[in-house]
Amino acid sequence: MAIYEFYCPTCREKFEQRRPMSAVNEPASCSRGHRAERVLSMFAAPRGAVATADSPAGGCCGGGACACASAN
């Protein structure tokens, strides 16, 4: 299951829906039943966060195989 973000232009409401990736192009409705449009979701990382080889996830890029962590 993936989380997709939608926007209702009638209500000016943004909301999220969990749905299978196979249903990505199916229409969505807001809580009032209006047709909503899928929007590009944004994500954020904490400012100043640096990936390290000893981080719980194993470093950046799945184990530190790239030079991302040594960019600082």
Side-chain angles (χ1 to χ4, degrees), residues 46-62:
R47 189 174 192 154
V50 177
T52 61
D54 59 343
S55 67
C60 71
C61 300

Side-chain angles (χ1 to χ4, degrees), residues 12-63:
R12 296 183 180 163
E13 172 187 354
K14 247 186 190 180
F15 61 96
E16 296 175 342
Q17 270 189 3
R18 288 179 56 120
R19 52 171 59 184
M21 292 176 79
S22 61
V24 66
N25 292 322
E26 291 182 13
S29 299
C30 71
S31 60
R32 296 182 183 147
H34 303 120
R35 184 175 177 89
E37 304 165 354
R38 189 167 60 106
V39 296
L40 195 61
S41 299
M42 301 298 287
F43 70 93
R47 189 174 192 154
V50 177
T52 61
D54 59 343
S55 67
C60 71
C61 300

